[in-house]
Amino acid sequence: MTTMSVSRTIPNAIVDPDRDTEMPVLVVHTTGDAARRSLDDPDAAIAPVVAATRRLLRIDAEPVATHVHRWTFARPLRATGEPFFRSPGLSLCGDAWGESPAVRTAWASGDSLGRALAAS
């Protein structure tokens, strides 16, 4: 995963309330294959990911800062088959909730939980 802090030229970019800045943050995920190619030198992934992201999103500005993080061991042992977990005071979602551990499962899980929370 590469995190780009970019200028305010990106409308609706994610602002992280835990950071001591009002700079929007854009988080970019690569494929597993792309991440594996950079295991020995994760920072080498920054330039091509930034270039592809800027091209795809038509961003003219250079990022203010970048950071790369590899979630090497972030893989659920098994999927629950449920879209999310919810009990009073605690809700969980992610790629362990659903039919198979994958990014699309994590997204669907978060979307389902968000809808359930909004409806309650």
Side-chain angles (χ1 to χ4, degrees), residues 23-114:
M23 183 67 64
V25 175
L26 177 62
V27 178
V28 180
H29 294 271
T30 64
T31 64
D33 288 340
R36 277 187 285 283
R37 287 192 298 270
S38 302
L39 278 177
D40 292 333
D41 185 11
D43 287 339
I46 293 174
V49 170
V50 168
T53 302
R54 289 181 64 210
R55 189 173 51 253
L56 179 68
L57 298 179
R58 297 185 177 115
I59 299 170
D60 292 327
E62 287 286 336
V64 173
T66 58
H67 171 76
V68 64
H69 183 85
R70 171 79 172 137
W71 296 95
T72 306
F73 302 108
R75 184 167 303 210
L77 295 176
R78 64 187 169 285
T80 66
E82 300 296 325
F84 54 81
F85 172 81
R86 189 162 179 215
S87 68
L90 177 67
S91 296
L92 302 171
C93 62
D95 59 348
W97 281 268
E99 297 303 319
S100 63
V103 171
R104 67 183 171 277
T105 305
W107 185 90
S109 174
D111 183 65
S112 295
L113 177 58

